[in-house]
Amino acid sequence: MDTIARSVSHPYYLRSLHIPETIAGIRGPKATLELPQQSAEGVPPAVVGVARTYAPLPRPDLPPPPMPQGQSSADLYQSLFTRDEQIRKNLVRQTSLTRAAVVVGACPDMCPEKERYMREDRRRLSWFELDHHISQPGAPKVDHQRAVKEYNRSAADKAEDLPHELRPEPVLLMTMDYLVTCVMDEREGRTEMWYDFVWNRTRAIRKDITLQHLCSKGCVELTEKCARFHILCAYLLCEEEINVFDQKMNHENLTKCLITLTHFYRDLRIEQAVYCGNEAEFCCYDILLHLRDGNVLNLVEQYSPAIRQSNFIRFAVDIALAFSSNNYAKFFKLVRSPICSYLCACILHRYFSEIRTTALHVMTKAYTLSKPTSFPLTKFTEILRFENEVLATDFCVHFDLSLTKKMVKLAREFAHHPPSSLPALLAPSLVGAKRVNRRLGEIVNGGPLPLPPNLPRPYDSFAPGTPLAPPTPTRPTPPVYSDKDLTVAIDLILEEITRKELFSVAMEMLQNERDKSVKQATVSAFCESLTSECVGEECTSVAMATLENAQREWQVRENAQLLDEVAKVISMEIEFGIIIEQVSQVIIEGYEELVTMATSECDWGRVCGGGEGGRAGQAGKTRTTGETGFGKEAKEILGK
């Protein structure tokens, strides 16, 4: 890209592609930035307020795209894509380094027109870019004023960006002000999309700066805000999952921002004799990020004397010395001091677990010379600046230190785990308290927020008035009427109004009559139903009383009959028992009499011998077995 010069016949490209020294009046009106006056030491103080005004940039004089097949976002994108491909075919590549030109951005909007239609068609819009009034589930619609250019990674097979796809410095400043004032504080409830959106759009800003080889105070300000954003997220999102926030990638982007700033500061100081007010602040951040490097103090020697004498650098050097000498007490004391800013504390937060692990080793060696020592948990929490005793207890458990009655037992032999194994946790009292209720945008901006930018109307190749705009419907010429026609029309209108009024009055009267009849019918029906209900209830009560009386009488008669039958049955049973007793008595007496008679006759026969005695005995036997008068009587009684 750096060694390619382009020249096309269209005046837009003849005006846009020039050597950087000759394009000051072509990039459009620049934003005015009010900075404090330079101090005697050559380094102005930090910017505490920014007042910026935006002048509308000239619209790019682009060749018209071909007529789209329809009005959908896909059709409009295809039309713009065809135009850009035709422009690229007309580009003449220049391989001479001396004649190479730098691309000058000419996009007047925060997002190029073709990208807006492309991302709407492919549903790659962020929540912050949607037009929530017309968007529907499954059919997102872009808000052309709030859309911000998306970062796209450079690739060998990707076509180079055209001038109208790159944003000049004033547009980049306006975009950053929009992100700081309108998006930075919209994190609540949508952390994942918030971080992804701001990180991606700030990365696109840095890419546009790189592609145009810009180097100015405005570019320094943009890169400083990108660095502050990554420093802020390194602390605020430390507890998030890796699919929401990647700490390693965030650190890489922060390092790139600081490297770019180092180059900007040096180039502006050497080539333009321009000093940036926040150089000492970001040199301090650079030192704090490299505390683990052995040559961190060599960085300080490369700074100018004014930078080395600033409070930021002095604080960074003190922190570096405390960290390298394992002086954990001084380290936490410096973190708590007022000179440590909120962003400095956010950077140092990453070293808390490491410095506490080092402190544990130092305390173990110091307090356990001959035997294990018990150390109060409250004192342990205070020395290592834990938020509470619960976190201190978790730290001791992590290293297998025993606790009894809020006493930590320090021993020379304990579990040696790397500091990275400890979970990263927020530190509200040590770091969060330094924020002092400031908004995120105010912290990233480095001072009070400006007013939200008045976003201009986005460029539209298909707007009304352009050759590709849809035809505007023409209004037919109204006819001319004479006085007679007007009189006839007025009479007809009055007649129609009268007829409608009469009809409405008649309908109202009819409705009133209907309402009266309905009311009367309702009252009559209500009275009849009430009367029938009352009569029905009275008849029901009388019938129930009569039925109860009849049931009682029937039950009395039934009980009397039942008692008579029971008495008869009992009397018959008594009579039958008496008869049975009499019959039994008669049978017993007859049986005894027969036995007596039979016995006497037998005895007499044996005495008299055979002859008559034998015959008498035989006759007695015959009487005994035959039917006598007594046997008949017994049968009759048994028959009864």
Side-chain angles (χ1 to χ4, degrees):
M1 181 68 68
D2 299 342
T3 60
I4 297 176
R6 307 167 180 81
S7 60
V8 292
S9 58
H10 199 273
Y12 162 65
Y13 292 97
L14 294 178
R15 186 178 73 250
S16 300
L17 300 179
H18 292 283
I19 303 175
E21 288 78 9
T22 62
I23 61 175
I26 297 176
R27 288 183 177 177
K30 293 187 177 180
T32 60
L33 182 65
E34 297 179 1
L35 296 175
Q37 297 296 326
Q38 184 172 320
S39 64
E41 298 179 353
V43 181
V47 178
V48 296
V50 177
R52 204 189 314 278
T53 57
Y54 304 96
L57 294 175
R59 299 295 181 182
D61 188 12
L62 294 172
M67 180 67 69
Q69 297 181 358
Q71 293 300 316
S72 65
S73 56
D75 297 331
L76 300 179
Y77 164 70
Q78 189 61 38
S79 175
L80 296 173
F81 178 80
T82 304
R83 180 196 63 187
D84 290 351
E85 288 299 314
Q86 187 63 35
I87 291 174
R88 287 190 176 92
K89 290 181 181 179
N90 297 330
L91 294 178
V92 178
R93 296 180 179 272
Q94 181 60 255
T95 58
S96 175
L97 293 177
T98 57
R99 300 177 58 185
V102 179
V103 180
V104 179
C107 177
D109 307 318
M110 295 193 299
C111 183
E113 180 184 15
K114 184 178 71 174
E115 181 181 330
R116 298 198 300 265
Y117 291 119
M118 181 269 292
R119 290 204 284 130
E120 178 179 307
D121 176 56
R122 299 179 184 179
R123 299 182 182 180
R124 285 168 49 184
L125 296 172
S126 172
W127 183 88
F128 301 96
E129 300 173 319
L130 294 177
D131 190 342
H132 298 281
H133 298 288
I134 60 177
S135 295
Q136 296 178 357
K141 296 297 180 181
V142 64
D143 188 337
H144 291 273
Q145 277 191 321
R146 297 197 305 155
V148 184
K149 185 179 180 180
E150 187 180 44
Y151 173 79
N152 288 315
R153 187 181 298 275
S154 300
D157 58 343
K158 186 178 181 298
E160 66 274 12
D161 292 323
L162 297 173
H164 64 273
E165 295 177 324
L166 297 175
R167 297 164 292 180
E169 182 181 325
V171 179
L172 294 176
L173 291 170
M174 179 183 67
T175 304
M176 181 58 76
D177 284 350
Y178 167 74
L179 294 176
V180 168
T181 57
C182 302
V183 179
M184 286 289 181
D185 292 282
E186 295 294 329
R187 174 197 167 195
E188 190 66 29
R190 53 179 76 90
T191 300
E192 181 177 1
M193 66 175 66
W194 171 83
Y195 172 75
D196 183 70
F197 177 78
V198 179
W199 167 66
N200 185 280
R201 278 27 177 201
T202 53
R203 198 177 181 187
I205 290 175
R206 291 192 286 119
K207 182 180 178 182
D208 279 4
I209 293 174
T210 303
L211 292 178
Q212 299 177 74
H213 293 272
L214 299 177
C215 182
S216 63
K217 277 193 172 182
C219 298
V220 170
E221 180 187 347
L222 292 170
T223 311
E224 287 176 349
K225 292 179 181 180
C226 295
R228 290 193 189 101
F229 169 74
H230 290 294
I231 294 173
L232 188 64
C233 291
Y235 168 71
L236 288 180
L237 307 182
C238 66
E239 295 182 354
E240 298 292 339
E241 299 292 336
I242 193 171
N243 58 345
V244 177
F245 175 72
D246 190 347
Q247 191 72 258
K248 182 178 180 181
M249 186 174 294
N250 185 77
H251 178 74
E252 291 178 358
N253 283 272
L254 174 58
T255 304
K256 291 178 181 179
C257 290
L258 294 177
I259 292 173
T260 303
L261 285 172
T262 302
H263 295 161
F264 279 156
Y265 295 146
R266 185 186 65 244
D267 294 343
L268 290 175
R269 184 172 58 253
I270 296 175
E271 298 178 3
Q272 304 180 26
V274 175
Y275 295 90
C276 300
N278 298 323
E279 183 177 356
E281 174 189 353
F282 287 89
C283 289
C284 172
Y285 299 155
D286 195 14
I287 295 173
L288 297 181
L289 283 174
H290 296 86
L291 292 183
R292 298 188 183 97
D293 298 345
N295 59 346
V296 62
L297 296 180
N298 293 336
L299 294 175
V300 181
E301 298 179 357
Q302 301 175 7
Y303 302 145
S304 63
I307 297 298
R308 287 200 300 267
Q309 295 300 322
S310 63
N311 293 331
F312 279 107
I313 300 302
R314 290 180 178 179
F315 168 76
V317 170
D318 291 341
I319 282 287
L321 293 175
F323 185 84
S324 60
S325 61
N326 296 331
N327 191 345
Y328 54 90
K330 184 178 180 181
F331 179 88
F332 286 116
K333 181 179 179 181
L334 289 172
V335 173
R336 294 186 63 193
S337 64
I339 194 175
C340 180
S341 66
Y342 176 61
L343 292 178
C344 288
C346 290
I347 295 178
L348 295 175
H349 174 260
R350 69 189 63 203
Y351 301 110
F352 285 180
S353 297
E354 183 175 351
I355 199 70
R356 284 166 179 159
T357 304
T358 303
L360 181 60
H361 286 273
V362 174
M363 294 172 66
T364 302
K365 292 179 181 179
Y367 293 109
T368 59
L369 295 177
S370 58
K371 60 179 181 180
T373 304
S374 297
F375 201 84
L377 179 62
T378 305
K379 191 68 175 178
F380 188 82
T381 304
E382 182 182 355
I383 291 176
L384 299 186
R385 297 300 173 187
F386 287 103
E387 295 297 318
N388 48 55
E389 293 185 359
V390 176
L391 297 179
T393 303
D394 294 340
F395 180 83
C396 295
V397 171
H398 181 78
F399 289 98
D400 297 341
L401 298 176
S402 60
L403 287 90
T404 56
K405 297 181 180 180
K406 290 193 175 184
M407 298 293 291
V408 182
K409 187 177 181 181
L410 298 177
R412 284 186 174 269
E413 296 181 358
F414 62 90
H416 294 273
H417 299 297
S420 59
S421 61
L422 291 168
L425 300 174
L426 295 174
S429 62
L430 201 58
V431 179
K434 294 180 178 293
R435 182 176 171 180
V436 197
N437 296 326
R438 286 183 295 171
R439 299 175 60 185
L440 298 180
E442 187 176 352
I443 296 172
V444 172
N445 192 59
L449 288 174
L451 294 176
N454 187 14
L455 301 177
R457 183 178 180 181
Y459 181 78
D460 189 1
S461 300
F462 309 98
T466 59
L468 299 180
T472 304
T474 58
R475 182 177 299 177
T477 305
V480 180
Y481 297 100
S482 62
D483 294 340
K484 183 178 180 180
D485 295 334
L486 293 176
T487 303
V488 173
I490 290 173
D491 293 339
L492 291 176
I493 292 172
L494 291 176
E495 183 179 355
E496 181 68 19
I497 293 173
T498 304
R499 186 180 64 81
K500 287 184 178 180
E501 287 294 330
L502 292 175
F503 179 76
S504 63
V505 171
M507 290 299 296
E508 185 177 357
M509 294 175 64
L510 181 60
Q511 187 65 30
N512 292 336
E513 292 296 329
R514 288 179 179 176
D515 293 342
K516 291 180 180 179
S517 60
V518 168
K519 290 179 181 179
Q520 292 178 357
T522 304
V523 172
S524 301
F526 177 74
C527 293
E528 291 178 359
S529 61
L530 184 61
T531 303
S532 59
E533 185 176 355
C534 294
V535 172
E537 290 180 357
E538 187 65 24
C539 293
T540 302
S541 61
V542 172
M544 290 298 295
T546 305
L547 181 60
E548 290 177 358
N549 295 331
Q551 287 179 350
R552 285 196 295 270
E553 293 177 358
W554 176 80
Q555 189 172 5
V556 170
R557 288 197 299 270
E558 186 177 1
N559 292 338
Q561 293 177 0
L562 183 61
L563 291 175
D564 293 342
E565 292 178 359
V566 169
K568 290 180 180 180
V569 171
I570 293 173
S571 62
M572 290 177 64
E573 289 181 356
I574 294 172
E575 291 178 357
F576 183 75
I578 294 171
I579 293 171
I580 292 298
E581 290 179 359
Q582 293 177 358
V583 170
S584 299
Q585 187 67 28
V586 171
I587 290 173
I588 292 171
E589 292 176 357
Y591 178 74
E592 292 176 355
E593 182 181 354
L594 289 176
V595 172
T596 304
M597 291 175 63
T599 304
S600 62
E601 287 181 3
C602 290
D603 294 339
W604 176 261
R606 283 192 306 267
V607 175
C608 293
E612 292 179 3
R615 287 189 298 267
Q618 187 69 28
K621 183 179 180 180
T622 302
R623 285 194 303 268
T624 303
T625 58
E627 288 187 358
T628 62
F630 174 76
K632 291 180 181 181
E633 183 180 359
K635 285 183 179 182
E636 290 178 1
I637 293 172
L638 290 175
K640 292 180 180 180

